[in-house]
Amino acid sequence: MEMEKVIEVKQLSKRFGNFTAVDAITFDVYKGEIFGFLGANGAGKTTAMRMLSGLSVPSSGEAKVAGFDVYRQTELIKRHIGYMSQRFSLYEDLTVRENIRFYAGIYGMSDAFIRDKTASLLQQLHMEAEAGKLVKSLPLGWKQKLAFSVAIFHEPQIVFLDEPTGGVDPVTRREFWNLIYEAAASGITVFVTTHYMDEAEYCSRVSIMVDGRMDALGTPAELKKQFDAASMDEVFLRLARKAVRTAD
Amino acid sequence: MFFKTIIMQSGNRRQLNNGHVSVADIVMTYGKPNAAVQALQGINFEVKPGELFGIIGPDGAGKTSLFRILTTLLLPTGGRAEVGGFDVVKDYQAIRNSVGYMPGRFSLYPDLTVAENLAFFATIFNTSISENYDLIKDIYLQIEPFRNRRAGQLSGGMKQKLALSCALIHRPSVLFLDEPTTGVDAVSRREFWEMLRRLKAQGITILVSTPYMDEAGLCERVALLQNGRMLGIDTPAGITASFGKLLLAVRNENMLPLLKLLKSFEEVEEAYPFGEYHHVVLKQGSEKDLRARLKAAGMEAEVITAVPGIEDCFMDLMKN
């Protein structure tokens, strides 16, 4: 069976003046995959993610996200993806229900859809009693689960998660990965960055960026074999230490 | 402003006797009595002079509140704490003169240059860059090429190095680093810890907080903090040695169904993903029993004994 490509990237580059932030990266991401996007600070991850989410126009190369072109169809891309980061997710001064309503409204969901789905979502998250509470009053772990659910509320084809688990306790971190697995099993493609190397093991495939290039791509098992390493941590260190440029 | 206060008090230059830190029954409560948040609920620990001491805990554990109390920036609701033999409430001036503090959020002057920030901090502590240059040389050399750049224009890694240089320029007896490695990649994190080890060799007491459990092993002793309570305090080896239960690592080709199956066994106390394996805590039985049990359920898997890490212990302590 031919796997369906939801992200197709060919020779994609981004230059700022004479600095090449992303240097001709080529890769595909398949439907329902958990795609780990790793790299040291300054390796070009954020720039690449901004291009793939329609926020930054590439300097050269080609890319399609959810079937849409990253040069000409950025608005369509934005409608068909979800995004969540640890830093920015929910409005603290809005209630749980208001946050859901707000994000769903931004994505143009109908009132009926929002009403029905909000009810089932609150039930699924066991948060019916909290629907009217301000988000800032929730424990961090709940906020995170809610943020993720809000990011995929409009049923996007792809969800981009930018360091979603930073600073979270180890139990909540694993509960969060459970949600990621469920989303992937339901057909949503998950594109995730992380600094936790054990989480790299949970991905279907992992890519590692070094100095704007994509220096490694494969399943965790393949990469460990290729780099003759015992763990993903070792693979990462081996590659990232080669970096000439740094975040500095 | 904190720093303005220091300038006004610079006539009083009592120094700490040593780098000893002691914390007794510290409580920190925020908000009104009817809707109070208990950030710290009776914390006790001691840090020996020259020790590299880690406070390990997730966001919201109370790490920053604790550091702000010890650096005299926040008055505790209850309890006592001393830094270098001085009380954090009564003797705050003496403490401010001789501790270094690097907050989690970048707090230097963004519109001053790298060199100006460093000179500023040296001046308010009545010292000069040249006097203590040997202490910061390794770190400062890496940002020296950008000495005329404004601090606000620096990258994350450079800001961190500048902040550390500024926190060290008065040769503090105790250095407080609040989450210096959060959001930093694995390679840079290692480099930062190597820097800390070199500083420790100079005799400075270092208290460092981190949400990354894997960094616990780089400290001499660690305190595990969760929801304002101390879960444990010991050497990293002492903490992992006290795990006290059989921990197994299990894997096969179908990790998700495997995890569900493991969780369904009544003899399994806990089963959770751990890198390329699942970790399994058994209530009873052995490695062999679990292997046989999996086989009987139609799922062959590799089952080996695992050495508990800080993260295993943290999760165990969180639950019990």
Side-chain angles (χ1 to χ4, degrees):
Chain A
M1 193 184 80
E2 179 76 5
M3 282 188 292
E4 187 188 330
K5 291 176 188 171
V6 289
I7 301 179
E8 291 175 73
V9 179
K10 284 197 194 92
Q11 299 290 314
L12 193 69
S13 295
K14 178 79 186 186
R15 287 176 287 276
F16 297 103
N18 54 14
F19 176 72
T20 306
V22 173
D23 190 2
I25 56 174
T26 298
F27 64 98
D28 295 323
V29 181
Y30 302 101
K31 184 177 163 66
E33 204 174 20
I34 302 173
F35 189 82
F37 197 58
L38 273 51
N41 300 122
K45 294 192 304 282
T46 304
T47 306
M49 274 181 62
R50 285 177 58 82
M51 288 192 281
L52 296 180
S53 45
L55 296 172
S56 168
V57 181
S59 305
S60 61
E62 291 167 42
K64 274 188 173 175
V65 176
F68 302 110
D69 184 86
V70 291
Y71 291 92
R72 287 175 299 276
Q73 296 173 300
T74 52
E75 290 311 309
L76 285 166
I77 289 177
K78 288 177 200 168
R79 280 181 172 271
H80 288 84
I81 62 171
Y83 175 82
M84 174 198 162
S85 80
Q86 194 221 341
R87 264 145 292 179
F88 176 75
S89 45
L90 301 169
Y91 287 93
E92 299 261 301
D93 293 326
L94 295 184
T95 66
V96 170
R97 192 183 291 282
E98 285 166 347
N99 265 287
I100 297 174
R101 175 79 189 79
F102 176 76
Y103 279 99
I106 282 195
Y107 283 106
M109 302 292 108
S110 72
D111 286 346
F113 177 89
I114 295 173
R115 197 171 49 241
D116 294 350
K117 191 148 180 190
T118 300
S120 63
L121 177 63
L122 290 172
Q123 192 184 5
Q124 194 192 327
L125 291 173
H126 305 291
M127 282 176 68
E128 287 133 312
E130 279 74 27
K133 287 193 183 157
L134 293 184
V135 160
K136 68 177 168 199
S137 70
L138 299 180
L140 185 74
W142 290 26
K143 276 187 210 171
Q144 267 209 315
K145 284 175 217 166
L146 180 64
F148 181 71
S149 305
V150 165
I152 59 171
F153 191 87
H154 60 295
E155 300 173 356
Q157 293 188 46
I158 304 153
V159 63
F160 289 88
L161 305 175
D162 195 1
E163 286 179 44
T165 56
V168 171
D169 73 69
V171 172
T172 307
R173 200 151 73 78
R174 286 173 173 82
E175 286 171 1
F176 190 81
W177 270 90
N178 239 339
L179 289 182
I180 293 182
Y181 279 128
E182 280 170 21
S186 77
I188 295 178
T189 304
V190 180
F191 191 99
V192 59
T193 73
T194 179
H195 284 314
Y196 290 99
M197 287 304 127
D198 61 327
E199 293 185 348
E201 299 277 1
Y202 310 151
C203 298
S204 324
R205 284 189 306 149
V206 172
S207 65
I208 300 176
M209 282 190 75
V210 181
D211 289 350
R213 302 178 312 269
M214 189 170 276
D215 274 9
L217 173 63
T219 64
E222 284 166 0
L223 293 183
K224 280 182 279 185
K225 199 171 162 199
Q226 184 187 340
F227 293 94
D228 190 26
S231 64
M232 282 306 293
D233 197 30
E234 219 180 301
V235 172
F236 183 81
L237 288 174
R238 198 158 294 177
L239 280 167
R241 282 220 165 108
K242 288 196 317 198
V244 180
R245 85 184 193 212
T246 65
D248 311 344
Chain B
M1 276 278 308
F2 165 48
F3 296 118
K4 282 192 186 140
T5 326
I6 287 181
I7 296 171
M8 289 188 292
Q9 289 153 358
S10 59
N12 179 348
R13 296 214 56 86
R14 283 198 290 167
Q15 294 284 324
L16 301 197
N17 308 326
N18 55 55
H20 188 266
V21 177
S22 78
V23 176
D25 300 319
I26 283 287
V27 173
M28 187 68 224
T29 308
Y30 294 106
K32 298 186 188 101
N34 58 342
V37 177
Q38 286 237 303
L40 296 170
Q41 313 187 26
I43 300 293
N44 292 284
F45 66 88
E46 304 262 334
V47 181
K48 293 174 216 127
E51 197 172 16
L52 177 52
F53 189 87
I55 314 255
I56 318 281
D59 290 355
K63 304 188 296 293
T64 299
S65 294
L66 183 59
F67 275 28
R68 290 177 63 85
I69 289 169
L70 292 177
T71 50
T72 77
L73 300 174
L74 185 66
L75 293 174
T77 314
R80 275 177 61 84
E82 288 185 357
V83 176
F86 288 101
D87 185 273
V88 292
V89 180
K90 275 205 326 278
D91 308 317
Y92 67 94
Q93 294 171 334
I95 293 176
R96 288 182 185 183
N97 281 337
S98 36
V99 302
Y101 174 45
M102 188 172 139
R105 189 179 296 181
F106 182 69
S107 311
L108 303 180
Y109 292 93
D111 47 2
L112 295 186
T113 65
V114 167
E116 284 167 345
N117 264 293
L118 194 61
F120 175 81
F121 282 92
T123 310
I124 60 169
F125 284 109
N126 260 338
T127 182
S128 64
I129 297 175
S130 54
E131 200 172 323
N132 294 316
Y133 190 69
D134 61 304
L135 190 60
I136 62 159
K137 190 176 164 220
D138 278 355
I139 305 158
Y140 189 65
L141 274 180
Q142 301 173 53
I143 48 173
E144 238 248 316
F146 311 97
R147 59 191 309 280
N148 292 321
R149 191 180 290 187
R150 287 184 184 199
Q153 306 296 313
L154 297 175
S155 71
M158 274 200 284
K159 278 182 181 157
Q160 190 193 41
K161 285 176 185 131
L162 177 59
L164 186 58
S165 301
C166 290
L168 283 168
I169 195 61
H170 59 300
R171 197 174 286 276
S173 315
V174 186
L175 181 63
F176 293 93
L177 304 168
D178 195 6
E179 295 203 28
T181 56
T182 292
V184 175
D185 68 70
V187 175
S188 311
R189 284 206 276 145
R190 285 197 184 202
E191 285 171 1
F192 193 81
W193 279 94
E194 277 157 26
M195 252 173 347
L196 291 192
R197 267 199 292 272
R198 287 196 292 271
L199 286 175
K200 186 201 137 46
Q202 304 254 5
I204 298 174
T205 307
I206 303 174
L207 272 81
V208 56
S209 71
T210 177
Y212 295 105
M213 306 279 150
D214 59 348
E215 292 183 344
L218 303 166
C219 303
E220 285 170 277
R221 283 194 309 142
V222 292
L224 305 181
L225 199 64
Q226 163 82 352
N227 288 335
R229 288 179 203 278
M230 205 72 105
L231 297 178
I233 174 164
D234 205 340
T235 60
I239 285 181
T240 51
S242 65
F243 189 71
K245 291 173 218 172
L246 181 62
L247 184 73
L248 301 174
V250 184
R251 71 168 171 186
N252 69 7
E253 296 299 306
N254 298 299
M255 291 297 271
L256 209 51
L258 178 64
L259 185 63
K260 284 192 177 137
L261 181 64
L262 286 165
K263 283 184 170 171
S264 73
F265 293 163
E266 62 273 18
E267 68 270 32
V268 169
E269 185 180 313
E270 286 298 336
Y272 48 86
F274 203 96
E276 59 181 323
Y277 287 90
H278 294 321
H279 275 185
V280 179
V281 182
L282 282 185
K283 284 183 217 156
Q284 66 215 32
S286 68
E287 184 186 328
K288 233 168 117 185
D289 297 335
L290 186 68
R291 205 177 289 126
R293 179 73 195 256
L294 283 165
K295 198 172 178 183
M299 206 178 254
E300 300 240 12
E302 178 192 349
V303 181
I304 54 172
T305 314
V307 180
I310 295 287
E311 193 158 12
D312 295 295
C313 297
F314 197 96
M315 285 192 275
D316 189 51
L317 291 164
M318 268 176 79
K319 277 167 191 152
N320 303 313

